[in-house]
Amino acid sequence: MYYLKNTLFQDLTKNQKSALFGFVKSFVKKHSEKNSQEILALFIEDEQYYYEQKNPHFEWIIPEFEKEQFLKELIQLIDENKKQLAIKEAQKPFIEKQKALAKEQRKKAAEFKLSKQPPTKKQLYYYDMLCKKYNINQESVENLSRLDLKNMIGKIIDEHDTGTKKI
């Protein structure tokens, strides 16, 4: 894509080129099921419609549709955007796997960090209150970590609240 920005639409200003590239990218994504010629025809039709309604996306583009070179470059841009969409779609399963793996690693890192820290006063108080509420004998919390206490609290809540909450 970067290569195309340097070679296509040499007669346009930097801002015009940037706006056109962004708009065409979203337009192609919106109409990805169609082929390049159909997308080009839709794009021209849309731009002419908005120009007639006195609300164009690009005020300078209508005269450009008369130039054959401009249309060829526009087709080239549409084709490249379609290729980029296909590549992105093909990579989707791998990206999802990477996200899941990263989430799992973050969870392990957080648990490791918690396992090295002493429990907070709030955790100790909450554990104490849960034990009193459910008439459970308190285990010794000496030399336990935040993670251990978190797991103990979670276990108590799961055992006693699973049957009571039905949504």
Side-chain angles (χ1 to χ4, degrees):
M1 193 62 123
Y2 181 74
Y3 170 73
L4 285 179
K5 286 184 179 180
N6 293 332
T7 59
L8 296 180
F9 309 114
Q10 294 295 318
D11 52 338
L12 299 180
T13 66
K14 187 172 87 170
N15 291 341
Q16 288 174 334
K17 196 186 295 190
S18 176
L20 181 63
F21 271 70
F23 187 78
V24 168
K25 183 177 182 178
S26 65
F27 195 82
V28 169
K29 189 174 183 179
K30 185 176 171 183
H31 301 287
S32 61
E33 73 282 348
K34 295 180 171 38
N35 68 36
S36 299
Q37 291 295 332
E38 291 173 337
I39 293 173
L40 177 65
L42 273 174
F43 178 72
I44 292 172
E45 184 181 317
D46 272 9
E47 290 306 311
Q48 287 175 338
Y49 170 78
Y50 285 113
Y51 184 76
E52 290 168 3
Q53 298 299 316
K54 306 280 191 256
N55 190 17
H57 294 114
F58 311 105
E59 297 171 357
W60 49 268
I61 204 165
I62 298 299
E64 297 292 327
F65 290 144
E66 305 298 322
K67 300 176 184 174
E68 191 173 321
Q69 181 64 27
F70 183 81
L71 295 177
K72 283 182 183 177
E73 291 176 352
L74 202 52
I75 285 285
Q76 203 174 358
L77 178 61
I78 290 170
D79 287 338
E80 184 62 29
N81 278 305
K82 284 182 72 74
K83 285 180 193 174
Q84 294 295 330
L85 282 174
I87 290 170
K88 199 171 189 178
E89 192 64 35
Q91 292 176 340
K92 205 171 199 172
F94 300 113
I95 293 171
E96 293 300 322
K97 284 181 184 177
Q98 284 179 328
K99 285 181 182 178
L101 182 63
K103 185 177 181 180
E104 188 177 311
Q105 288 174 338
R106 284 192 304 272
K107 184 178 178 183
K108 283 182 181 179
E111 286 180 353
F112 179 76
K113 184 178 176 182
L114 288 176
S115 71
K116 300 296 181 192
Q117 297 174 336
T120 64
K121 289 179 182 178
K122 285 183 178 181
Q123 276 184 314
L124 293 170
Y125 177 75
Y126 190 60
Y127 176 69
D128 184 44
M129 296 307 290
L130 281 176
C131 288
K132 286 178 184 177
K133 180 179 178 181
Y134 296 119
N135 297 323
I136 299 171
N137 292 332
Q138 285 188 357
E139 296 178 22
S140 173
V141 290
E142 294 292 320
N143 300 325
L144 290 181
S145 67
R146 278 189 190 179
L147 180 63
D148 297 332
L149 209 57
K150 176 184 165 192
N151 291 338
M152 289 170 62
I153 290 170
K155 184 178 176 185
I156 293 170
I157 291 173
D158 286 343
E159 287 175 358
H160 292 88
D161 287 349
T162 54
T164 59
K165 287 189 177 180
K166 290 184 181 177
I167 297 174

